[in-house]
Amino acid sequence: MDAHLRILRRLERAGPEGVVASELIPDRVAREFVLKYLASKGLIVRRRKFRGERIFITTKGLVLLRDYGNGVT
């Protein structure tokens, strides 16, 4: 869960520009697994464009960070 919170914090800092998926998690298999999980929980939005993919945090993800993002999980 700490790794997921770190990802959400990075997306929060990126703001409306989001983060390129391959910069967020370099390993393709791990990236698909983790991003699919976070998207299924409604914490992120994935937007594919041409060959790339950008990841954005949702309101639900921001609320989770506000409630549990202080390191106490």
Side-chain angles (χ1 to χ4, degrees), residues 14-58:
E17 291 91 35
V19 176
V20 176
S22 60
E23 291 177 7
L24 194 60
I25 305 171
D27 180 45
R28 184 181 299 170
V29 175
R31 178 173 58 239
E32 277 302 311
F33 183 78
V34 171
L35 295 180
K36 189 183 295 184
Y37 173 77
L38 292 173
S40 73
K41 297 298 181 185
L43 301 174
I44 64 168
V45 173
R46 302 170 77 178
R47 294 201 181 127
R48 291 182 177 89
K49 194 176 219 182
F50 303 111
R51 290 187 185 191
E53 179 179 24
R54 293 192 80 80
I55 311 300
F56 304 88
I57 193 166
T58 62

Side-chain angles (χ1 to χ4, degrees), residues 4-21:
H4 295 130
L5 290 174
R6 281 194 304 269
I7 290 170
L8 292 175
R9 277 191 208 103
R10 183 162 176 201
L11 292 171
E12 179 187 31
R13 284 192 307 270
E17 291 91 35
V19 176
V20 176

Side-chain angles (χ1 to χ4, degrees), residues 5 8-9 12 43 57-72:
L5 290 174
L8 292 175
R9 277 191 208 103
E12 179 187 31
L43 301 174
I57 193 166
T58 62
T59 305
K60 186 175 180 180
L62 290 171
V63 169
L64 181 78
L65 275 181
R66 187 187 68 214
D67 294 344
Y68 300 103
N70 60 1
V72 180

